[in-house]
Amino acid sequence: MELQDKKYRILDIFFRLLKGEFVSVRQLADEYSVSGKTVSRDINEIRAYLSENEYRNGNAQIEYSYREKAYYLSMDDFLSSKELVVLIEILISSRALPKNSMEEIIDKLEGFTLTKDKKLIQDLILKEKHHYKPVGNDCKNIIDNIWSVLRAIQNQQVITILYYKMDRTIINRKVRPLSIVFSDYYFYLIASHKVEEEYVNRFYRIDRITDIIKHKENFSVEYSERLDEGKLKNEIQYMWPGRNMDILFEFSGPSVQAVLDKIPQSEIVKRDGNKYTIKAKVYGDGIKMFLLSQGAWVKVLEPVELVEKMKSEIAEMAKLYD
Amino acid sequence: MELQDKKYRILDIFFRLLKGEFVSVRQLADEYSVSGKTVSRDINEIRAYLSENEYRNGNAQIEYSYREKAYYLSMDDFLSSKELVVLIEILISSRALPKNSMEEIIDKLEGFTLTKDKKLIQDLILKEKHHYKPVGNDCKNIIDNIWSVLRAIQNQQVITILYYKMDRTIINRKVRPLSIVFSDYYFYLIASHKVEEEYVNRFYRIDRITDIIKHKENFSVEYSERLDEGKLKNEIQYMWPGRNMDILFEFSGPSVQAVLDKIPQSEIVKRDGNKYTIKAKVYGDGIKMFLLSQGAWVKVLEPVELVEKMKSEIAEMAKLYD
């Protein structure tokens, strides 16, 4: 076997360590048909290399685990087990990806993590995978869709999308792709298209785009009209189209912090006992859904149009139960 | 310099390739003070090792990029650029981690990704980082908190938590930690504690736990009372305490699929034109918030208690605007 050859063997041991494996001298000696002493010497050479080039190797060091009776690599560049767990929990609760894509990503993440806590993490992953419930989607491969759209955004390339509308009719629309955002289970493309000589921005769920045609046509966006993605992300609620609004409302529920968290561009302007007056910058009609969800904890004060919308919606809700 | 030594040099080149670097022969020759021919020979040895051990090396191969005029490693075990982008978007929109923890994780993820698409990804990350808006939290380190709780869950170890309640008072509570879930920006601990001889489950936001004391006391949960985490995750809404409920409601809004996605344990039992009757299994009072958010699109039919709750909430909402 080629791995009896020292130079391959040492690469192989290094590769295993870098993938977070526990490396046992006895086991490797068996596997490579060499002596334990030989394997130990190989490991020492890797150790020497690492310690002499520490500065650029993410502080990588070979350490010995008495529990596993084996060597392992500790390295700052690895995801720690803690970070892996957090990532997996967030990824799974996003529910955005089909099960197989989600599993593939988790397997890869696990591949570049210290395996010290293997059992705990594998138990967790197993349980989570088992109960995973992705949201429905119409496209062939959502990851490919996102990527394709992202490249068009970067190249400022005009695209035509074939899109399932909410009512399940299919439309064909030529748009200028501007940005991608993720919110509540779904990835959205923000793109603009021409309506009566003016460009308007719209959201499209990326999982409802069944086809993307890239045109040999580029666009440029005037600096003044350029979409400030971050600002937009911090202003949107529920991904409903609409316009920018400054709103003012009273909140008397148990956790004002949760409201401030939910609407990033918001602040308390008045406090009266348990009642807070909150001012916020929002984008789109989704804010109405959030305000309704809070029931009688929320009373909208401004703008007048929104007050009127709330009133008439509440009146219609009441009518349902007459 | 030690890297003039062949065995170290070859480890170094391999390490760089594994971290997704582009490796240029001329540049390495300069850096190691050896000839280009020598570096080429090193790269060929790594290539030979990989191709002879393909089966277990995630199909790793050294490839040449004409654009970069350099070698790089392609490997199935790496996160692809597409997957990295999706992970980063989801992580950032979760808003769960403080900025520095979030950045650290993204840097590590980037470290184990093919760098073919470096520019696109770095532009994206830069923009996203710049606008990142984490939710507020009270604890020293949320990642450590999650990890600590997770270990207690696995060991079925009783803990006392020091916890900021919604009204900002601090409580001390001895609990049996059962599970961790992530929902809408926050990580929650589900734990049970004794109230008048009976154990009840409660949610605690993990970022509001300021201290965790682990007791030398273990618990075991009867099989019949054991929490089915996955089931629970699919039934909870907004993390409000409450009980299991079967509910029935009419929905007449634009996207019934979005409602089915939002409540995983739900199904359409009747359709009448644009009006759907939906049956769902839910846990906790948070469902009321979701149903309210839908305004007049939703009419609750069962159970009677929930119908009454909706009615009285709507009446109170209306009163606010009288």
Side-chain angles (χ1 to χ4, degrees):
Chain A
M1 189 203 183
E2 286 290 344
L3 291 172
Q4 285 179 284
D5 184 336
K6 180 176 181 68
K7 67 186 174 220
Y8 289 156
R9 201 175 53 233
I10 205 165
L11 284 175
D12 201 50
I13 296 174
F14 190 40
F15 189 64
R16 286 164 162 218
L17 287 166
L18 275 167
K19 293 194 62 183
E21 260 187 57
F22 284 103
V23 158
S24 137
V25 170
R26 192 192 295 176
Q27 204 181 307
L28 288 194
D30 277 2
E31 201 178 305
Y32 300 145
S33 313
V34 295
S35 71
K37 214 165 168 183
T38 301
V39 172
S40 294
R41 211 180 303 124
D42 293 339
I43 291 176
N44 280 332
E45 285 184 8
I46 297 171
R47 173 181 285 139
Y49 156 71
L50 289 173
S51 69
E52 278 158 27
N53 299 279
E54 217 179 300
Y55 61 98
R56 71 151 169 231
N57 292 350
N59 201 20
Q61 281 175 332
I62 294 183
E63 293 183 11
Y64 188 75
S65 157
Y66 287 92
R67 201 175 62 185
E68 301 285 337
K69 293 189 177 54
Y71 293 95
Y72 66 94
L73 194 68
S74 86
M75 177 162 75
D76 294 346
D77 291 353
F78 274 142
L79 281 178
S80 68
S81 307
K82 299 175 195 183
E83 291 168 328
L84 178 66
V85 161
V86 165
L87 262 182
I88 290 176
E89 281 286 345
I90 292 177
L91 178 61
I92 286 182
S93 5
S94 81
R95 298 175 50 210
L97 303 180
K99 191 162 189 184
N100 58 345
S101 312
M102 187 269 307
E103 289 185 350
E104 222 172 274
I105 291 183
I106 290 181
D107 289 347
K108 289 179 180 181
L109 289 176
E110 208 196 331
F112 289 102
T113 304
L114 271 188
T115 37
K116 251 194 318 157
D117 312 292
K118 232 175 189 153
K119 191 158 170 352
L120 177 61
I121 288 175
Q122 280 171 349
D123 283 357
L124 179 82
I125 293 176
L126 207 69
K127 224 168 27 183
E128 296 281 6
K129 274 187 189 172
H130 179 63
H131 290 297
Y132 186 61
K133 188 124 188 185
V135 292
N137 81 65
D138 294 314
C139 65
K140 268 169 289 186
N141 185 324
I142 186 159
I143 297 180
D144 285 345
N145 262 14
I146 292 168
W147 186 249
S148 176
V149 165
L150 207 63
R151 299 199 65 118
I153 292 170
Q154 208 196 24
N155 300 329
Q156 303 204 300
Q157 192 173 11
V158 176
I159 59 175
T160 292
I161 54 173
L162 211 66
Y163 185 73
Y164 271 106
K165 284 172 64 179
M166 264 201 272
D167 62 11
R168 309 301 293 157
T169 53
I170 294 191
I171 54 164
N172 229 310
R173 186 167 282 169
K174 198 169 173 182
V175 300
R176 300 170 159 193
L178 301 174
S179 175
I180 287 181
V181 288
F182 178 76
S183 170
D184 262 359
Y185 317 144
Y186 310 112
F187 282 93
Y188 295 83
L189 160 66
I190 308 179
S192 69
H193 73 289
K194 229 181 192 164
V195 180
E196 294 167 6
E197 297 307 299
E198 244 191 90
Y199 276 92
V200 294
N201 294 344
R202 286 283 176 271
F203 296 106
Y204 302 92
R205 262 176 54 187
I206 290 184
D207 61 290
R208 291 225 196 102
I209 299 175
T210 62
D211 213 353
I212 300 170
I213 298 152
K214 298 195 175 181
H215 299 285
K216 283 202 181 114
E217 182 188 339
N218 292 85
F219 63 91
S220 66
V221 182
E222 290 295 312
Y223 189 79
S224 62
E225 318 167 12
R226 206 173 289 168
L227 192 71
D228 187 338
E229 280 184 67
K231 208 165 152 276
L232 186 69
K233 281 190 199 197
N234 288 335
E235 286 176 3
I236 40 177
Q237 291 288 331
Y238 294 97
M239 296 297 148
W240 286 91
R243 55 186 191 80
N244 286 300
M245 254 193 305
D246 287 310
I247 65 170
L248 196 72
F249 62 93
E250 277 174 9
F251 178 78
S252 55
S255 173
V256 71
Q257 186 57 47
V259 174
L260 298 177
D261 280 347
K262 183 79 190 175
I263 313 177
Q265 311 266 23
S266 61
E267 50 170 333
I268 297 171
V269 292
K270 206 179 117 192
R271 180 182 174 170
D272 178 9
N274 223 5
K275 189 184 282 177
Y276 296 85
T277 306
I278 294 169
K279 195 170 118 178
K281 277 186 181 306
V282 298
Y283 175 86
D285 288 345
I287 189 69
K288 204 183 79 188
M289 303 182 84
F290 171 71
L291 297 170
L292 285 170
S293 77
Q294 304 293 308
W297 289 340
V298 157
K299 179 183 175 180
V300 179
L301 304 175
E302 286 177 22
V304 181
E305 306 91 271
L306 186 61
V307 175
E308 289 308 317
K309 272 190 192 168
M310 291 292 285
K311 272 166 115 167
S312 67
E313 187 79 40
I314 293 166
E316 286 199 43
M317 290 163 77
K319 237 187 275 172
L320 290 173
Y321 297 97
D322 273 351
Chain B
M1 189 204 186
E2 285 291 343
L3 291 172
Q4 286 179 283
D5 185 336
K6 180 177 182 67
K7 66 189 177 216
Y8 290 157
R9 201 175 53 231
I10 204 165
L11 284 174
D12 200 51
I13 297 173
F14 190 40
F15 190 64
R16 288 165 162 219
L17 286 167
L18 275 165
K19 294 195 62 186
E21 259 186 57
F22 284 101
V23 157
S24 135
V25 170
R26 190 193 297 177
Q27 204 181 308
L28 289 193
D30 276 0
E31 201 177 306
Y32 299 146
S33 313
V34 296
S35 71
K37 215 166 167 182
T38 302
V39 172
S40 293
R41 210 182 301 124
D42 294 338
I43 292 176
N44 281 330
E45 283 183 11
I46 297 171
R47 173 182 284 139
Y49 156 71
L50 289 173
S51 70
E52 278 158 28
N53 299 279
E54 215 180 302
Y55 63 97
R56 70 151 171 230
N57 291 351
N59 200 21
Q61 281 173 335
I62 294 183
E63 293 182 13
Y64 188 75
S65 158
Y66 286 93
R67 203 177 59 184
E68 302 285 337
K69 292 190 180 51
Y71 293 95
Y72 66 94
L73 196 68
S74 87
M75 179 161 76
D76 294 347
D77 292 354
F78 274 142
L79 281 178
S80 66
S81 307
K82 299 176 197 185
E83 290 168 330
L84 178 66
V85 161
V86 165
L87 262 180
I88 290 175
E89 280 287 343
I90 292 177
L91 179 62
I92 287 182
S93 9
S94 82
R95 300 174 48 206
L97 304 178
K99 191 160 188 184
N100 59 344
S101 311
M102 188 272 304
E103 289 185 346
E104 221 171 275
I105 290 182
I106 290 180
D107 289 346
K108 289 178 179 182
L109 289 176
E110 208 196 331
F112 289 102
T113 303
L114 271 188
T115 36
K116 252 195 314 157
D117 311 293
K118 231 173 188 159
K119 186 148 177 0
L120 178 60
I121 289 177
Q122 281 173 347
D123 283 356
L124 179 82
I125 294 176
L126 207 71
K127 221 164 33 178
E128 296 282 6
K129 274 186 186 170
H130 179 63
H131 290 297
Y132 186 61
K133 186 123 191 188
V135 293
N137 83 65
D138 294 316
C139 65
K140 264 169 289 185
N141 184 325
I142 185 156
I143 297 180
D144 285 345
N145 262 16
I146 292 168
W147 186 248
S148 177
V149 165
L150 207 64
R151 301 199 65 119
I153 292 170
Q154 207 195 24
N155 300 331
Q156 304 203 300
Q157 194 174 6
V158 176
I159 60 176
T160 291
I161 55 173
L162 211 66
Y163 184 72
Y164 272 105
K165 283 172 63 178
M166 264 200 274
D167 61 9
R168 311 299 298 156
T169 55
I170 293 192
I171 55 167
N172 228 308
R173 186 166 283 170
K174 198 169 173 182
V175 300
R176 301 171 158 194
L178 300 175
S179 176
I180 287 181
V181 287
F182 178 75
S183 169
D184 263 358
Y185 319 143
Y186 310 112
F187 282 93
Y188 295 83
L189 160 67
I190 307 178
S192 68
H193 73 289
K194 233 181 190 161
V195 180
E196 295 166 4
E197 296 310 299
E198 243 189 274
Y199 277 93
V200 293
N201 295 343
R202 285 281 176 274
F203 296 104
Y204 303 91
R205 261 174 55 184
I206 291 185
D207 60 290
R208 289 226 198 99
I209 299 175
T210 61
D211 213 354
I212 301 170
I213 298 150
K214 298 194 175 185
H215 299 285
K216 282 199 181 119
E217 183 188 339
N218 292 84
F219 63 91
S220 65
V221 182
E222 290 295 313
Y223 188 78
S224 62
E225 318 166 17
R226 205 171 291 168
L227 191 72
D228 186 338
E229 283 189 64
K231 207 163 150 280
L232 185 70
K233 280 189 200 200
N234 289 334
E235 286 175 6
I236 39 176
Q237 291 287 333
Y238 293 97
M239 297 297 150
W240 286 91
R243 54 184 193 81
N244 286 300
M245 253 194 306
D246 287 311
I247 65 169
L248 197 70
F249 62 95
E250 277 173 7
F251 178 77
S252 55
S255 173
V256 71
Q257 185 57 47
V259 173
L260 298 176
D261 282 346
K262 183 79 189 174
I263 314 176
Q265 309 266 23
S266 61
E267 49 170 332
I268 297 171
V269 292
K270 205 177 115 192
R271 180 182 175 171
D272 181 8
N274 224 5
K275 189 184 282 177
Y276 296 86
T277 307
I278 295 169
K279 197 170 118 177
K281 278 184 181 307
V282 297
Y283 175 87
D285 288 343
I287 189 68
K288 203 182 80 187
M289 303 181 85
F290 171 70
L291 297 171
L292 285 171
S293 76
Q294 304 294 307
W297 290 339
V298 157
K299 179 185 177 179
V300 178
L301 304 176
E302 284 175 23
V304 180
E305 305 92 271
L306 186 60
V307 175
E308 289 308 317
K309 270 192 195 167
M310 292 291 286
K311 272 165 115 166
S312 67
E313 186 79 41
I314 293 166
E316 288 200 41
M317 289 162 78
K319 235 187 279 172
L320 291 173
Y321 297 96
D322 273 352

